[in-house]
Amino acid sequence: MSYALDNIFPENLRQNARTGVVSAVRQAFCSTLLLVSVGILNGCAGIASTLDPAGPQAERIAVLHWIMFGVGGAVYAGVLGLLFFAVWRSQRRAAAEPDDARGTLLIVGGGIVLPLLVLFPLWGLTLTSMNEIAEPPQPPRLTIEITGHQWWYEVRYPDHGVTTAGEVHIPAGEPVLFELRSVDVIHSFWAPRLAGKTDMVPGVVNRMWLEASQPGTYLVECAEFCGLMHAKMQMPLYAESPEDFAAWLASQRK
Ligand SMILES: [Cu+2]
C-alpha cells in the first residue's frame, strides 16, 4: 500500500499545483480582458471624467494618473509574464530541489528592492504634484462660499451680495477660491474635470481653488456618502467668459 501511495501522491500534488497555476493564469487573463473592455466602454471623455481634464489642477492630476497607470500596468504585465513562464517551465521540467540562496535573492530583490525602486519615485512624484497644485498660479480675484446641505448646495458670492443654490457660475481662465462648509454631515466638493476633491465638514471652513481653462458646463458632485440622496447631490458649474460672468452677476444682483 505504502508503495502505491509513494508513487501516486507526489504526482497528484504536482497535478494539483499545475491545475492551480493554470486556473490562476486563466483568471488573470480574464480579469485583464474585463478591465480593458470596461475602460474602453467607459471611454475617457464625458462630463464627469477625470481623464478629460479641463483645468490646470485636473491636468496635473491626470498626468500623475497616467504615469501610475503605466507603471502599475508594467508591474502587472511583468507578474503575468512570470506566471506564464512558471507554467511553461513546470510543464517541461520536473520540480527542482529548492535553492535557498536563489529564494532569498528573489525575496529580497523582488519583495524589497524592486518595490522600493518603483514606489519611491511615485511617492516623490505624488508629493511634487500635490505641491504644484496647492497654490493657484495667481491670487484668485473671486471667492465663492459653498455650503453643503442634505442634499443640495447653497452658493454665495460674498463680495457681490449674491446667493444662489444648485448651480455655480465662475469666470473661465482664472483661478477661483472656494470656501467650503457643511451644515449637517460631511460632504465632499468635487468637479472631476477641474480639480480634486475637498471635504465639506460641519464646523470647519475648507479652502480650495480651481480653474476652468475654457468656458463650458462642468459637473460638481458630492464625493462623500452623505445619506439616501447622496448620488443625486450634483450641480452644474458654468464657466463663462469674464464678460458673460459679469453680466450674470449683474443680473443676479437685481
Ligand atoms: Cu453630500
Side-chain angles (χ1 to χ4, degrees):
M1 234 9 237
S2 70
Y3 169 77
L5 270 183
D6 281 351
N7 280 295
I8 293 165
F9 202 54
E11 183 49 36
N12 269 355
L13 265 187
R14 261 207 293 278
Q15 199 69 41
N16 281 350
R18 219 168 280 160
T19 319
V21 171
V22 169
S23 117
V25 169
R26 199 180 296 141
Q27 278 180 18
F29 183 71
C30 290
S31 51
T32 309
L33 257 187
L34 185 74
L35 279 177
V36 168
S37 47
V38 165
I40 290 171
L41 285 179
N42 271 347
C44 297
I47 194 164
S49 175
T50 51
L51 302 182
D52 190 11
Q57 267 204 44
E59 271 161 26
R60 194 72 196 80
I61 295 171
V63 168
L64 184 65
H65 159 82
W66 284 116
I67 292 172
M68 288 202 168
F69 182 77
V71 173
V75 169
Y76 185 61
V79 171
L80 266 195
L82 284 175
L83 200 57
F84 279 117
F85 176 69
V87 171
W88 173 78
R89 208 175 58 166
S90 76
Q91 283 170 346
R92 268 156 191 74
R93 267 204 236 163
E97 279 295 302
D99 180 344
D100 276 355
R102 242 178 105 193
T104 309
L105 192 73
L106 205 65
I107 288 168
V108 172
I112 300 172
V113 177
L114 197 64
L116 286 181
L117 284 179
V118 172
L119 294 177
F120 257 104
L122 287 183
W123 180 55
L125 205 63
T126 305
L127 291 183
T128 319
S129 306
M130 284 168 73
N131 191 39
E132 269 172 31
I133 60 177
E135 295 296 329
Q138 78 226 42
R141 293 186 304 156
L142 178 70
T143 300
I144 301 178
E145 292 176 7
I146 302 211
T147 306
H149 297 256
Q150 279 175 316
W151 291 274
W152 58 283
Y153 302 92
E154 179 187 338
V155 183
R156 293 188 60 236
Y157 298 76
D159 301 332
H160 303 275
V162 169
T163 302
T164 65
E167 63 175 51
V168 55
H169 292 246
I170 63 167
E174 63 174 272
V176 176
L177 181 71
F178 284 85
E179 291 189 353
L180 306 171
R181 295 175 172 81
S182 170
V183 292
D184 36 49
V185 298
I186 300 176
H187 303 275
S188 189
F189 181 82
W190 188 33
R193 291 191 64 199
L194 300 177
K197 305 162 184 170
T198 305
D199 277 0
M200 312 169 89
V201 184
V204 175
V205 180
N206 278 340
R207 290 179 180 81
M208 61 96 72
W209 68 276
L210 61 75
E211 178 178 333
S213 304
Q214 298 293 331
T217 302
Y218 304 96
L219 180 76
V220 171
E221 56 187 335
C222 179
E224 179 82 41
F225 180 70
C226 57
L228 282 180
M229 295 292 284
H230 159 71
K232 298 278 182 194
M233 194 169 163
Q234 301 177 327
M235 69 171 165
L237 182 150
Y238 301 107
E240 293 154 334
S241 66
E243 303 78 46
D244 286 352
F245 176 73
W248 175 82
L249 212 50
S251 76
Q252 292 297 309
R253 231 179 278 132
K254 287 177 195 159

